[in-house]
Every structure is written in structure tokens, then in C-alpha cells.
Amino acid sequence: MIGLVVRRFFQLAFLLLGISFLVFASMYIAPGDPAAIIGGPTASESDVEAIRDNLGLNDPFLVQYGRYVTNAVQGDLGYSYQTSQPVWDAIVVRFPNTLKLAIASMIVAVVIGIIAGLVSALRQNSLLDVSATTFALAGISIPNFWLGAVLILIFSVNLQWLPVGGMSSPWYTIDGIKELILPAITLGTASAAIIARMARSSMLEVIQADYVRTARAKGVKESSVIWIHTLKNAMIPIITVIGLNFGFLLGGTIITEKVFAINGVGRLMIDAIAARDFPMVQGSVLLVAALFVIVNLVVDIIYTYIDPRISFD
């Protein structure tokens, strides 16, 4: 297990290096001059040139990238071109909102996905199975921004049951839970559909195994057959999908945060891209990439507890 963790952290280092290079190169060749944006419409050419020199934007690409990596290794992600605020400080302030949204969305996805997949597998080719399959197709197909707008229109504007947007209350309060409901459903629907499809196919494969038929032949209660013998052995691929989707949720909150006016990392990233705020974009992407790898490491560790036959040593 220790060997797995060490290997993954080495992989994380190389992955972040590669991602940092790609993001830095993308920002470097993107149209627009951040110095001109910072200077504003009233800045003269000499003022813009002075800003470029101050930010080091006139240096060759490799020099700029090498300086960025050297500073990043030391924990310095640079300063925002827009606000002159340290990038790390800006991310830390907004990350809790993104994390709360991702966790709430994952809870919605796991609960709905596993229940729908389980019911669909146990009632194969029935009306419930067809309904669950239809839900899965619809969940994957519906765009987040459209679903979010519809939910706001129904539950916030017409019924006035839930707030339109924002996330300012603690998650453990009634107001905090209300603020999370619509964004979590919006973001978690697609993941719920994917989990439901995986749970169904995995359950159908396991439920036909010899040890399940043997358990039933011995007179084991059907509930024990389903929850202990079947679902537990079907969880490996389901957990894989859950881990991957949680990583995607952490990086995929951009549209949902924009629709519901949530002050999170995704919204921060969108605003930074529009303003050509290179350090902010790079820092946000590196954070999401690191979290994605860490989540998958946790998933690999969970494998060994669910199925002792799995070993990564």
C-alpha cells in the first residue's frame, strides 16, 4: 500500500508538470494581451509596454515557463493580473464552495444512481427497467445550463421553495442545505445516470454467478443475497465510476457555478480566462488536476478493503 501511494505521488508530480506546460502554452498562444487588459482602454502604448516588462511577458516562452515552475514548486502560484491578489489565496477562499457543491452532487449521484441501477437489474426488462434506462439516457443528454435554468424557473421563481442562487450559508444549516439542492441536482444528474448504467450492468453480471445461485439454493434470505453477496461483489466497477465522476465534478462545476452565481473555483476560472489572467487559470487547473489524481488514489485504496484479493504491491 505504501508503495502504491509513493508511486502515485511521483506520477502526480509528472502529471502536474505536463499539465502546467500545456496550460501555460495554451495561455501563451491565446489571442489577447493581458498587459493591455490590465492597463485598460486609457493606457498608452508605453504604459502597456511597461506592464509587459514588469510581468515578464516579453521574455521567451521557456524563460517564462521555467520561472513559473520554479515559483510553483516553492508554493508561489503568482499573483492575479486582475486584482494583484496571490493566486493561492484566491483559490483557498473559493475552494470550499466548489468542494461542498461537488460532494453534494456526488451524494445525489450515488444515491439515485445505485438505487436506479439496483432496481433496474432486479426487475430486468420491466417497466421499472425501461424507466431507469430512459432516465439514464436523459440524464446524460440534458445540458447542465438548461437543467439548471429549468429548476430555477420551477422551484425558485414559480414555487419559491428554494433560493435562486448563491452559497453564503454554512452547509449544516437549513438555508445552507436549501442553497445546495438545486445546484447539486443540476450537477449530479449526469453522474447519476452513468452510475445507474454501470450499477445495472455490474449487478446483472454478478447476479448470474454460481455463488449467488448457491446462496439461494441454501435458503439464504433474498435481502442477504442482494446486499451481501451481489451488491458487494458488484461494487468494484461502480466505485471506479464514482471515483472518476467525483474527479470530473470537482473540475466540472464551472457551468453550474455560473448558472447559480456560486463563488467557487469554476466561476473563478471562467472569469480568469475571459480576462486573460494567466496565473489564476494555471493555478486553478493545477489544483483540479491534483485533486483528480488524489481521488483516484483513494479509490484504489478502497478497492483493497472491498476485495482483499486485489493488491497493488
Side-chain angles (χ1 to χ4, degrees), residues 24-74:
F24 198 94
S26 300
M27 293 290 98
Y28 184 81
I29 64 177
D33 186 358
I37 295 175
I38 294 171
T42 60
S44 63
E45 183 61 34
S46 59
D47 293 334
V48 173
E49 189 63 29
I51 294 174
R52 288 198 194 98
D53 289 334
N54 185 47
L55 297 176
L57 297 178
N58 288 328
D59 295 335
F61 169 76
L62 292 179
V63 173
Q64 293 185 42
Y65 176 68
R67 182 169 56 239
Y68 176 76
V69 171
T70 302
N71 293 334
V73 170
Q74 299 173 9

Side-chain angles (χ1 to χ4, degrees), residues 13-289:
F14 285 107
L15 177 64
L16 292 180
L17 183 64
I19 290 175
S20 68
F21 180 82
L22 292 176
V23 175
F24 198 94
S26 300
M27 293 290 98
Y28 184 81
I29 64 177
D33 186 358
I37 295 175
I38 294 171
T42 60
S44 63
E45 183 61 34
S46 59
D47 293 334
V48 173
E49 189 63 29
I51 294 174
R52 288 198 194 98
D53 289 334
N54 185 47
L55 297 176
L57 297 178
N58 288 328
D59 295 335
F61 169 76
L62 292 179
V63 173
Q64 293 185 42
Y65 176 68
R67 182 169 56 239
Y68 176 76
V69 171
T70 302
N71 293 334
V73 170
Q74 299 173 9
D76 180 11
L77 296 177
Y79 291 82
S80 169
Y81 289 167
Q82 292 177 281
T83 63
S84 299
Q85 181 186 15
V87 170
W88 179 251
D89 292 349
I91 292 175
V92 167
V93 169
R94 292 163 176 80
F95 179 69
N97 287 339
T98 297
L99 184 61
K100 284 191 295 184
L101 176 57
I103 292 175
S105 303
M106 197 74 258
I107 292 173
V108 170
V110 169
V111 172
I112 295 177
I114 290 182
I115 291 176
L118 183 62
V119 171
S120 181
L122 296 177
R123 298 291 185 269
Q124 187 179 10
N125 300 324
S126 67
L127 179 60
L128 288 174
D129 186 17
V130 174
S131 300
T133 302
T134 303
F135 157 75
L137 292 174
I140 295 174
S141 304
I142 296 175
N144 281 354
F145 64 87
W146 184 86
L147 178 60
V150 170
L151 292 177
I152 290 173
L153 182 63
I154 295 174
F155 294 100
S156 299
V157 177
N158 293 335
L159 299 177
Q160 297 184 356
W161 290 353
L162 299 169
V164 175
M167 192 178 291
S168 57
S169 303
W171 65 269
Y172 49 83
T173 63
I174 298 297
D175 290 337
I177 294 174
K178 286 183 177 180
E179 291 172 351
L180 277 171
I181 291 176
L182 293 186
I185 293 174
T186 300
L187 187 59
T189 299
S191 296
I194 296 172
I195 293 172
R197 295 299 297 167
M198 178 56 69
R200 180 184 185 275
S201 60
S202 183
M203 284 289 295
L204 287 176
E205 181 180 349
V206 174
I207 210 169
Q208 298 172 4
D210 292 339
Y211 59 83
V212 175
R213 287 195 293 267
T214 301
R216 283 173 170 160
K218 288 181 177 180
V220 178
K221 292 182 180 180
E222 186 64 18
S223 59
S224 298
V225 172
I226 298 301
W227 294 106
I228 298 176
H229 296 277
T230 306
L231 184 59
K232 183 178 179 180
N233 288 283
M235 283 302 293
I236 294 296
I238 297 174
I239 288 176
T240 302
V241 172
I242 291 173
L244 288 173
N245 276 273
F246 186 63
F248 285 127
L249 288 179
L250 283 170
T253 60
I254 297 174
I255 296 177
T256 304
E257 288 180 0
K258 198 71 175 177
V259 170
F260 290 93
I262 296 172
N263 192 24
V265 175
R267 189 178 178 188
L268 176 69
M269 197 183 307
I270 283 289
D271 294 340
I273 292 173
R276 299 296 186 272
D277 193 346
F278 296 171
M280 193 65 72
V281 175
Q282 292 152 6
S284 302
V285 172
L286 286 178
L287 173 67
V288 172

